[in-house]
Amino acid sequence: TLPARSVEYTGLRGMPIPSSERPFARATRGETFTDASVWLFTAEAEWRALSVTAKRLTASGDEDAGILLLVHDVTALTYAQRERERFTAMASHELKHPLTVMIGNAELALELDDLAPRTRERFESIIAASDRMLTMTESLVTTSRRGFGGRDELDDIDLRQIVLDSVASFRATAASAGIAINVRADEPLPVAADGFRMRQVVDNVVSNAIKYTESDGEVRIRAAVDGGEAVLTVADTGIGIDADDLPRVLTPYFRAAGAKDKAGGTGLGLGISNDIVRAHGGELSIESEAGVGTTVTVTLPLAEPPETVAPLAEGDPS
């Protein structure tokens, strides 16, 4: 047998793998395994990451049973993951201080005796939103490493209430920008989900709709049961997305030219929301036309058949 031209390692700049424990040797012994991680230092002095799977093949005809070895080069994916973890760690660190300052000052303001009820309500909204953001930043690194799935703990929650709470937190922002919010959510939407992550999804979608809608525009939000699914639709009359850009809007860090001109952002929100929805067995889809508006639809499987109740008072436009 010719000597290998590359050395196999346990990790990037890690320890060499003993020859008997290398994927090919294990497969030769008849072992099966899935996505074994191996790093190569090639003869060209390059580090390459491989994912190796060994599957057993059943015998057919005159052929004996064997092992199929599948090798995928995942170098680019691995480095992209490392870069995402580096970015999220940096973002988490940088966001904690200003958020803590915001919460502290808002809490001090609430101690004043002469606050008007409406002003007190707004400071309480600032604290609640900042607390959610602080929780989010503290979980950024862990979330990045597991791919933004967020399905560690699932509870039976009412998606309708999450939608109404989210919309309530954005009403002041929309009103100050001259944007009308029209909401209809008349029935319970029981889903098995991580409530914090679902709020993150709804906040992302609703805030985008407001952010990219001009003054005197409208954001229409509908949440209802359709068959065995909970369906949330957020439609705006905003700047829309060019047809060439639409297939890329869920790609991390991508921002359409029109979006860059209208408002700031990282290009991460929709991609993260899509990952969360898919991890919960749902689907996020986007329809848009430049200059006309955008519609984002989120579907999730129902946890149980909904009960019939009277519509909520919040149910219609403000």
Side-chain angles (χ1 to χ4, degrees), residues 51-106:
S51 175
V52 187
T53 297
K55 295 183 177 181
R56 190 175 305 280
L57 297 176
T58 57
S60 61
D62 297 332
E63 296 181 359
D64 295 332
I67 297 289
L68 174 65
L69 200 64
L70 303 173
V71 182
H72 297 281
D73 187 328
V74 293
T75 307
L77 181 64
T78 301
Y79 277 115
Q81 175 70 9
R82 286 170 176 259
E83 179 61 20
R84 183 166 73 174
E85 290 177 13
R86 186 195 68 81
F87 173 82
T88 52
M90 180 179 65
S92 175
H93 174 77
E94 295 298 327
L95 287 170
K96 281 181 181 178
H97 176 67
L99 286 169
T100 302
V101 172
M102 289 170 60
I103 292 170
N105 280 278

Side-chain angles (χ1 to χ4, degrees), residues 33-312:
F33 45 86
T34 302
D35 292 332
S37 179
V38 175
W39 281 84
L40 298 183
F41 188 67
T42 69
E44 292 76 26
E46 293 181 344
W47 285 98
R48 309 298 298 181
L50 304 180
S51 175
V52 187
T53 297
K55 295 183 177 181
R56 190 175 305 280
L57 297 176
T58 57
S60 61
D62 297 332
E63 296 181 359
D64 295 332
I67 297 289
L68 174 65
L69 200 64
L70 303 173
V71 182
H72 297 281
D73 187 328
V74 293
T75 307
L77 181 64
T78 301
Y79 277 115
Q81 175 70 9
R82 286 170 176 259
E83 179 61 20
R84 183 166 73 174
E85 290 177 13
R86 186 195 68 81
F87 173 82
T88 52
M90 180 179 65
S92 175
H93 174 77
E94 295 298 327
L95 287 170
K96 281 181 181 178
H97 176 67
L99 286 169
T100 302
V101 172
M102 289 170 60
I103 292 170
N105 280 278
E107 288 177 340
L108 286 173
L110 285 175
E111 294 178 4
L112 300 174
D113 295 328
D114 57 348
L115 279 183
R118 188 64 180 271
T119 303
R120 181 174 297 279
E121 180 182 328
R122 288 178 176 174
F123 275 121
E124 289 172 347
S125 294
I126 290 173
I127 292 174
S130 299
D131 277 335
R132 286 198 307 276
M133 182 62 73
L134 192 58
T135 301
M136 198 179 303
T137 60
E138 290 171 347
S139 67
L140 267 176
V141 175
T142 301
T143 303
S144 174
R145 287 173 179 165
R146 71 177 181 237
F148 293 100
R151 289 197 62 170
D152 284 351
E153 295 182 7
L154 300 185
D155 299 310
D156 289 334
I157 63 172
D158 186 356
L159 182 63
R160 172 185 61 170
Q161 193 58 53
I162 288 179
V163 171
L164 295 178
D165 289 344
S166 176
V167 171
S169 71
F170 285 110
R171 284 198 181 279
T173 301
S176 66
I179 298 168
I181 299 183
N182 181 307
V183 185
R184 188 170 187 85
D186 293 342
E187 55 189 330
L189 300 174
V191 295
D194 180 327
F196 179 81
R197 294 299 173 195
M198 283 298 108
R199 177 64 185 264
Q200 186 179 353
V201 170
V202 177
D203 280 355
N204 269 326
V205 175
V206 174
S207 64
N208 274 353
I210 295 171
K211 184 191 302 185
Y212 298 115
T213 297
E214 304 287 354
S215 181
D216 295 328
E218 182 185 21
V219 175
R220 298 180 303 278
I221 301 166
R222 300 290 181 265
V225 171
D226 185 2
E229 296 178 321
V231 181
L232 168 65
T233 302
V234 179
D236 64 60
T237 58
I239 61 175
I241 304 169
D242 289 335
D244 291 341
D245 289 335
L246 191 56
R248 303 172 61 193
V249 294
L250 296 179
T251 303
Y253 305 108
F254 175 78
R255 299 193 72 218
K260 294 178 183 178
D261 294 339
K262 180 71 169 66
T266 63
L268 287 170
L270 277 177
I272 292 172
S273 297
N274 183 53
D275 286 346
I276 294 171
V277 171
R278 291 182 61 186
H280 284 79
E283 181 180 357
L284 185 151
S285 61
I286 304 172
E287 297 178 359
S288 188
E289 182 178 348
V292 176
T294 299
T295 298
V296 178
T297 302
V298 174
T299 61
L300 291 164
L302 289 176
E304 59 187 37
E307 298 177 4
T308 302
V309 299
L312 292 182

Side-chain angles (χ1 to χ4, degrees), residues 7-11 13-19 21-22 39 47:
V7 179
E8 299 177 23
Y9 291 85
T10 56
R13 299 181 180 86
M15 296 296 293
I17 301 175
S19 57
E21 296 304 314
R22 294 174 184 174
W39 281 84
W47 285 98

